[in-house]
Amino acid sequence: MFNKFASYLSALALAVMLTACATPGQQPGEMDIRTGIIEQINPVQLQSSHHAGVGAVVGGIAGLGLGSLIGAGTGRDVAMVLGTVGGAFAGNEIQKKYDQPVPGQQIIVRTTNGVLISVTQATNPNLFKGQRVYVEGNGDGARVVPR
């Protein structure tokens, strides 16, 4: 009798724990879509999507490869070190040209339930004040698109 009661109690405890761990709301792959009207659009500068340091790493590797082709022995080692340092410096300078800020816009949308939402995204010339829009997603992934 005790074993049967213990197994039922264990099953109940497991069910309660699994229910507590379940996440309410969105399922994976679903996206929030809200509707609203644009109240304000402000121009902003967004950071470049290039990864910092990639130019230096690629340049250093290329310099190492070129330095290894020069000389032999100690002279070759010195050429490899100089090639790595010079390549890293050159790669970093080249990457700086591509790390310029990107034009964007901060869009303030009043949703149909009256809540104000601010979304910062790349510039979309098709958006204007007073336009009916969809706000897709949430958090950093939110985007405003025309209705």
Side-chain angles (χ1 to χ4, degrees):
M1 178 74 171
F2 178 74
N3 287 339
K4 198 173 205 179
F5 177 72
S7 66
Y8 285 132
L9 187 60
S10 297
L12 178 64
L14 179 63
V16 168
M17 286 191 301
L18 291 176
T19 304
C21 293
T23 56
Q26 277 188 323
Q27 296 298 318
E30 289 182 356
M31 179 187 302
D32 284 338
I33 298 180
R34 294 160 284 192
T35 59
I37 297 174
I38 295 177
E39 291 212 348
Q40 188 175 358
I41 298 177
N42 302 314
V44 296
Q45 295 292 316
L46 302 174
Q47 287 183 333
S48 170
S49 62
H50 291 85
H51 298 290
V54 172
V57 171
V58 171
I61 292 171
L64 176 66
L66 290 174
S68 69
L69 299 175
I70 298 172
T74 306
R76 181 177 176 188
D77 293 342
V78 170
M80 289 171 61
V81 169
L82 292 176
T84 302
V85 172
F89 180 76
N92 189 45
E93 291 301 311
I94 291 170
Q95 183 178 359
K96 285 181 183 178
K97 293 180 183 179
Y98 298 101
D99 282 343
Q100 301 302 319
V102 179
Q105 53 192 179
Q106 178 193 33
I107 305 163
I108 310 291
V109 176
R110 184 170 302 275
T111 62
T112 53
N113 62 359
V115 175
L116 286 175
I117 297 175
S118 173
V119 177
T120 303
Q121 65 184 36
T123 301
N124 183 343
N126 298 324
L127 298 176
F128 55 89
K129 185 177 176 181
Q131 181 180 20
R132 294 183 181 278
V133 292
Y134 292 116
V135 179
E136 297 178 344
N138 53 37
D140 289 341
R143 294 290 169 250
V144 177
V145 294
R147 248 167 94 174

